Amino acid sequence: SSFVDSCHVAAGYLRNVMDIDGAALQAKLDAIPMFQRAVIFTMQGQIVTSTVFPAPSVGELQSIVAVMEGTPEAAVATGICVQGDDFEVQSFAPPIISGRRGNPDHSEGVGVIRGSHEDTTVFFLVSYVLPNLAPRVIPRALQFFRDNVGEVDLPMPRSQGPRNSGWLRFGRGSPGARPLSGGSRGSRNPL
């Protein structure tokens, strides 16, 4: 354990950023096999926890923040770089963006979620490989973030309220937090 701790300190991991225990989060992330790589970091590029070594550089993390804060056109043009691997952005819908790299035989997806912990903006980057796909991984990552890190502002689906009704706040301790799924397996949506 002391060797692992010293590796984390040497890599610049912040063991307790804000009031989040990075070591406890890392253990929880390691227990989710669909997450190939997972990094939780602040807007300044400070790593709260990471399941990858070496950890992404501060410059890479700040460029991910810039992609999230930019325009869809810039996100598609720039993409996301993690540990030197370039991902094409395929979906730009802040607070969530996702993308993919590779070919049909061997590919890796990536998702980035922007949320908040108290008054601090926090990002959660997760990558995944086949047979896992974004529709399965991103909701799981959102749930992990809400359960363990903080809140995520999601647009209200039009079917659940008036147009332009603002944002719903989901997160740890927020009233009305609910799962993202719209129904049970096998349910039918009559059209």
Side-chain angles (χ1 to χ4, degrees):
S1 175
S2 63
F3 173 74
V4 171
D5 289 338
S6 65
C7 287
H8 290 183
V9 170
Y13 294 3
L14 301 175
R15 304 308 281 170
N16 293 294
V17 175
M18 302 157 289
D19 66 346
I20 298 175
D21 182 354
L25 276 180
Q26 183 173 351
K28 291 177 181 181
L29 287 169
D30 285 337
I32 304 172
M34 74 171 62
F35 296 165
Q36 185 77 13
R37 303 184 238 193
V39 183
I40 298 173
F41 58 99
T42 67
M43 188 171 252
Q44 295 76 27
Q46 295 176 310
I47 295 175
V48 176
T49 194
S50 176
T51 63
V52 295
F53 186 82
S57 70
V58 171
E60 282 182 327
L61 297 176
Q62 289 176 335
S63 71
I64 292 168
V65 170
V67 168
M68 178 70 81
E69 301 298 319
T71 66
E73 295 80 13
V76 170
T78 306
I80 297 172
C81 182
V82 181
Q83 295 180 298
D85 293 328
D86 293 319
F87 293 84
E88 293 179 4
V89 172
Q90 297 175 334
S91 175
F92 183 87
I96 302 168
I97 57 175
S98 63
R100 186 157 286 283
R101 72 178 187 97
N103 59 48
D105 296 326
H106 178 71
S107 67
E108 182 178 15
V110 67
V112 181
I113 298 168
R114 179 186 61 216
S116 63
H117 176 80
E118 297 172 357
D119 292 330
T120 304
T121 301
V122 182
F123 295 83
F124 181 25
L125 177 139
V126 62
S127 73
Y128 45 93
V129 296
L130 293 173
N132 296 304
L133 298 172
R136 180 173 180 216
V137 176
I138 300 299
R140 179 66 180 99
L142 275 167
Q143 189 66 48
F144 181 90
F145 192 97
R146 291 191 319 243
D147 290 347
N148 298 285
V149 180
E151 299 175 339
V152 178
D153 287 331
L154 295 174
M156 179 184 289
R158 289 184 183 195
S159 64
Q160 293 185 6
R163 290 182 189 218
N164 302 322
S165 60
W167 298 83
L168 291 177
R169 190 165 203 66
F170 296 101
R172 185 172 62 170
S174 65
R178 58 177 168 66
L180 290 176
S181 63
S184 63
R185 197 171 259 236
S187 66
R188 295 183 184 211
N189 183 8
L191 295 175

